[in-house]
Amino acid sequence: PARKFQKYAALRYIQDPMLARRVIALSVDKAFGKVMATALRAAGGVVELHSTIEAMGTAELQAALLVVHLDGALASSLEDLALRLRDDARLIVILPTHALPQAVDAMKMSDKIAGVLVQTEMRPGELAAMATRVLAGDIFGLEKLVPWGTRIYSTLVGDYQEKSLCIAQLMEFAELMGVRRKYRDNIERCLDEMLMNALYDAPVDEHGKPVFAEIPTKSRIGLRMEQKVVVQYACDGRVFAMSVRDSFGALERGTILRYLYKCLHSEQQIDRKTGGAGLGLYFIASSASRFLINVLPGVATECVVTHDLEAPKVELEAFGYFQEKIDAAGRLAAGPSR
């Protein structure tokens, strides 16, 4: 009977739209907590706001999403909170200040942690957008990260020559938009790294084995995949955004975090060798304002990078790994069954 009840409760959790949208916000700063709650309601969440862990009791947290401001008494609470969440629930962390090592450490703590934001730079709309990704899916496409009305450009890249043409085209656009040289240099290298990963690290065969695993990097540039990479880019004068999407969906959360952690904490960083994308991912995370990875396993991986053109210093403001909740046929994967 207990097993039957657990199965029924789990099914009811998926089908009950109220429970599927229940969000818990936790912050010792009551003023900032109200900002969090407003942003989460904008994402369609049914929000419950608390300023202490004790106020939530000791039982399992029945929510689709938990958002924690890791400040004050909550600074060391992340691991315990993650353990209290259901396996299919997710967690967003808000750090008090910029800190790439802390962001990576937080993401490594639990697979339930979908993303990290920084309080000092966070706009309510950014928290709402990240919460919407977690709650509703439909995560692919640059249009979800740029203001309405901003024109989005796109192009296809299938080999090394087309990669070079794409980079030249995008840098010409950046210069036309008045993007300063120090930002253009970072944008160019980030795009180059993302394209190299999508063209030569992402492709896998029917058994999931990397297609170019045994081929030296210098030999890869003469090869061409049938599945082209999709590149999107846009600029509204304040933010420059770009994305690169492959057709394999093989980039795993653990792989990204393992590379970043090693580059941050190891005395001997990862070499750019055959099949290695570690330093490229580390450079992106170190030189962009936002670094988001969207994945539909076996179908597509989309890496999204933005650069804040008004920031006095380049620091990571948002980082996350999101799995699509909409299947390849366009249906809500977690939607109610009939």
Side-chain angles (χ1 to χ4, degrees):
R3 286 185 181 177
K4 285 184 178 179
F5 176 78
Q6 288 172 358
K7 185 176 180 181
Y8 166 76
L11 181 62
R12 189 164 175 265
Y13 174 79
I14 292 173
Q15 294 182 342
D16 185 343
M18 184 66 72
L19 195 52
R21 292 187 293 111
R22 187 181 180 205
V23 179
I24 298 175
L26 185 58
S27 174
V28 295
D29 183 337
K30 293 186 178 180
F32 185 66
K34 290 180 180 178
V35 172
M36 291 167 56
T38 300
L40 295 168
R41 291 188 186 104
V46 180
V47 182
E48 192 178 295
L49 176 61
H50 296 285
S51 58
T52 66
I53 294 178
E54 291 73 21
M56 299 188 300
T58 58
E60 181 181 70
L61 299 174
Q62 295 292 322
L65 174 64
L66 171 64
V67 182
V68 183
H69 178 209
L70 282 190
D71 194 19
L74 300 174
S76 59
S77 64
L78 190 56
E79 188 172 7
D80 290 338
L81 289 169
L83 290 172
R84 289 179 59 187
L85 281 174
R86 298 174 59 93
D87 289 342
D88 53 357
R90 291 295 175 264
L91 199 154
I92 292 174
V93 176
I94 302 178
L95 298 175
T97 58
H98 298 95
L100 178 58
Q102 281 81 349
V104 173
D105 288 345
M107 290 283 287
K108 278 179 63 65
M109 197 169 290
S110 171
D111 288 345
K112 297 174 186 175
I113 300 171
V116 177
L117 293 167
V118 176
Q119 179 189 3
T120 53
E121 303 296 336
M122 191 195 84
R123 300 175 180 87
E126 293 176 348
L127 176 56
M130 186 174 283
T132 298
R133 287 170 171 268
V134 175
L135 295 172
D138 192 15
I139 57 180
F140 287 89
L142 206 58
E143 69 277 1
K144 297 172 179 66
L145 290 170
V146 298
W148 185 87
T150 304
R151 182 170 179 181
I152 297 173
Y153 300 85
S154 61
T155 187
L156 298 175
V157 177
D159 57 24
Y160 195 85
Q161 183 178 2
E162 290 179 357
K163 177 184 82 78
S164 300
L165 291 173
C166 172
I167 292 174
Q169 177 183 335
L170 193 140
M171 296 318 298
E172 184 179 348
F173 170 74
E175 189 171 3
L176 181 67
M177 291 298 297
V179 178
R180 286 182 288 171
R181 181 60 183 265
K182 69 173 185 176
Y183 294 112
R184 296 205 309 269
D185 289 344
N186 279 349
I187 290 168
E188 181 175 6
R189 185 169 170 188
C190 282
L191 179 60
D192 183 69
E193 294 291 351
M194 290 195 295
L195 283 170
M196 288 295 288
N197 291 346
L199 287 170
Y200 305 114
D201 293 320
V204 293
D205 60 22
E206 62 272 17
H207 304 295
K209 181 181 178 181
V211 174
F212 299 112
E214 306 301 327
I215 302 175
T217 303
K218 290 183 179 180
S219 302
R220 296 177 185 181
I221 62 176
L223 303 175
R224 181 183 181 89
M225 291 296 297
E226 181 182 348
Q227 300 93 336
K228 289 196 173 187
V229 171
V230 180
V231 179
Q232 290 186 311
Y233 56 97
C235 181
D236 66 352
R238 186 183 66 83
V239 173
F240 194 100
M242 56 187 177
S243 65
V244 175
R245 185 169 74 239
D246 65 50
S247 301
F248 297 94
L251 185 56
E252 297 180 351
R253 185 181 191 276
T255 300
I256 299 167
L257 295 176
R258 186 171 65 254
Y259 282 145
L260 293 179
Y261 185 86
K262 186 170 182 180
C263 283
L264 283 165
H265 298 287
S266 176
E267 294 182 2
Q268 185 176 3
Q269 292 187 335
I270 300 168
D271 293 324
R272 183 76 189 187
K273 58 185 179 181
T274 302
L279 281 177
L281 291 170
Y282 175 68
F283 176 82
I284 294 169
S286 302
S287 59
S289 302
R290 295 165 191 82
F291 182 24
L292 308 176
I293 301 97
N294 305 319
V295 178
L296 181 55
V299 177
T301 297
E302 180 181 62
C303 291
V304 183
V305 169
T306 73
H307 290 81
D308 186 343
L309 305 178
E310 296 178 349
K313 183 179 179 182
V314 179
E315 292 178 295
L316 194 66
E317 301 168 10
F319 177 46
Y321 182 94
F322 308 92
Q323 281 207 10
E324 182 59 276
K325 289 189 174 182
I326 295 178
D327 65 19
R331 297 182 295 260
L332 283 173
S337 58
R338 299 184 180 226

